[in-house]
Each structure stands twice: as structure tokens, then as C-alpha cells.
Amino acid sequence: MKAALQLFALPDLPMVQAGDDLAGLLSAAMARAGLAPQSGDVLAVAQKIVSKAEGRSIALASVQPSAAARELAAQTGKDARLVELILSESERVVRARPNLIIVKHRLGFVMANAGIDQSNIGADGHALLLPRDPDGSAAALAVRLGLPVVITDSFGRAWRRGTVGVAIGAAGLPALRDLRGQPDLFGRTLMVSITGFADEIAAAAGLVMGQGAEGQPAVLVRGLSWSGAKNPAAGLLRPAQEDLFP
């Protein structure tokens, strides 16, 4: 393990629009900052700019709520059109109460509002959906940029207050690292240690990205080291047979 890491927010990224060459924008920002990719670098990219580039913004005026959406909207106090989008992106509703809907997203994430957001998207009356294939999006960016990529989002946690950055897409590194069978500091064999490596990167990058008006949606994490086979962020999802709280 390295003794130190560096986090660099990429400077002067423009507001991303649908159809933009996101890899080109990120590459140019890295060049402006003098950050040529090197071994141990990972680029953390906020989901929001990936979704924007992929055209995942939906005008609420174009959404026709179903009866189920209207019923759930009445229970939660949310806009029925937004609820319709939440339901359309989800496998099932896990919990609902006023101003909160927790769902199992079609990608397998258990999350609030199916990850649909209306903040920092630059268009009133619109909502932004998650990328259709975050691991695929990360892989495409990694090929273009020549370094591993983690796509991040902010999740709440069932057992703790506050949101934290997590990886919803990853490429070029082991998103999940299985350390079982390796020795600990005293030579004892690790039996259950599996680390969410990509989640740890996302959380670290979140300290620089921020959650409000910082406008720093891409962060280069420098100084990492790892071993193990590459695997995508989908591997971070707990299989149904291991889920004690379905």
C-alpha cells in the first residue's frame, strides 16, 4: 500500500450537454492541469456529467403518470411525473414514506428515488436518470483516456446518516478485491475480507467533488496500487442469496 494519495479536481470543465464528447472534455481538462496519466492513477467521474452527455435528461412535461405513480405520489408528496420515472427505472419499491422512496433499481442498486436527480442539471422542469450501463460507460471512458475510471454517485446508507460517494461504474481495476487467503499483519489467514475498492476511491474523490455548488465533477486520484483481476462495479452488488435484509 502507498503511504499517501493525491486528489486533483480537473479544472474548468464546461457544463456538459447531451451529445458532448465527455472523454474529450476530460482529456482536455487533464492536459490543462498538466496531469498526464501515470501508473496508479484513477479518474473518478460524477454520474451526473456521464448521464448528461448520454442524454439521460427527461422533461417532466413529457411524462404521463400511471395510476400506480399517482397513488405513490399521494403517499409521499412527490410529483407524480417524477414518481412515474422512478417506477419506470425500478424493479420494485422497497420502502416509501413522506418525501422518500427507496427502490431496487433495474441495475440492482437499492437507492433513493432510483438515483433520479433534479439538482445541478441546469434545466428547470427536467430530471436526470442514471446511465443505462454505468460499467459500459466507464469502460468506454477508460479506453479513450488510457487510465482506469470509476463513475461515482452519492448514496445514503441504511445504518448511518449522511450520503457518501460510491461507485456505480468501474473499468480498468478490481472494483471488488477479495483478500481472503492472504495473511494479516501477524500471519493469520484472512477469512472474510473483501473490500469495495472502487467504493473507497469514490468516497475519497467525493471529498473534493463536494455535494453542492463546487462544480468539480471529475477528480484524478493519484498514488494508488492494487492487485487482482479487473472486475466491474456490478460485482459490488450483494447477491440475493447473501442478502439478509431483502
Side-chain angles (χ1 to χ4, degrees), residues 146-186:
L147 78 167
V149 169
V150 170
I151 296 175
T152 75
D153 199 359
S154 298
F155 277 30
R157 295 153 305 159
W159 312 119
R160 298 177 71 85
R161 298 176 72 187
T163 60
V164 68
V166 301
I168 65 168
L173 49 72
L176 191 73
R177 297 185 66 215
D178 190 346
L179 305 181
R180 292 174 296 183
Q182 298 185 26
D184 70 6
L185 183 62
F186 299 98

Side-chain angles (χ1 to χ4, degrees), residues 58-225:
I58 306 294
L60 291 179
S62 69
V63 178
Q64 181 61 45
S66 62
R70 291 194 295 271
E71 180 180 352
L72 187 55
Q75 294 175 22
T76 60
K78 290 185 175 291
D79 187 320
R81 301 168 299 177
L82 181 62
V83 174
E84 179 62 32
L85 290 177
I86 292 170
L87 293 179
S88 70
E89 286 286 288
S90 305
E91 291 184 4
R92 62 185 175 90
V93 176
V94 177
R95 292 286 188 274
R97 61 178 172 82
N99 203 37
L100 178 67
I101 302 174
I102 303 294
V103 299
K104 183 175 182 182
H105 191 276
R106 59 177 178 79
L107 293 168
F109 309 124
V110 176
M111 62 193 315
N113 302 326
I116 297 172
D117 203 353
Q118 292 181 280
S119 64
N120 285 329
I121 64 174
D124 290 338
H126 284 66
L128 194 67
L129 281 56
L130 294 187
R132 288 189 174 87
D133 176 12
D135 279 324
S137 300
L141 289 172
V143 169
R144 290 279 307 279
L145 296 170
L147 78 167
V149 169
V150 170
I151 296 175
T152 75
D153 199 359
S154 298
F155 277 30
R157 295 153 305 159
W159 312 119
R160 298 177 71 85
R161 298 176 72 187
T163 60
V164 68
V166 301
I168 65 168
L173 49 72
L176 191 73
R177 297 185 66 215
D178 190 346
L179 305 181
R180 292 174 296 183
Q182 298 185 26
D184 70 6
L185 183 62
F186 299 98
R188 185 176 182 275
T189 300
L190 298 173
M191 304 298 292
V192 296
S193 297
I194 302 174
T195 64
F197 187 51
D199 280 345
E200 292 177 322
I201 294 168
L207 293 171
V208 178
M209 286 183 182
Q211 297 285 339
E214 293 84 356
Q216 299 183 154
V219 173
L220 186 75
V221 184
R222 173 158 288 173
L224 289 162
S225 61

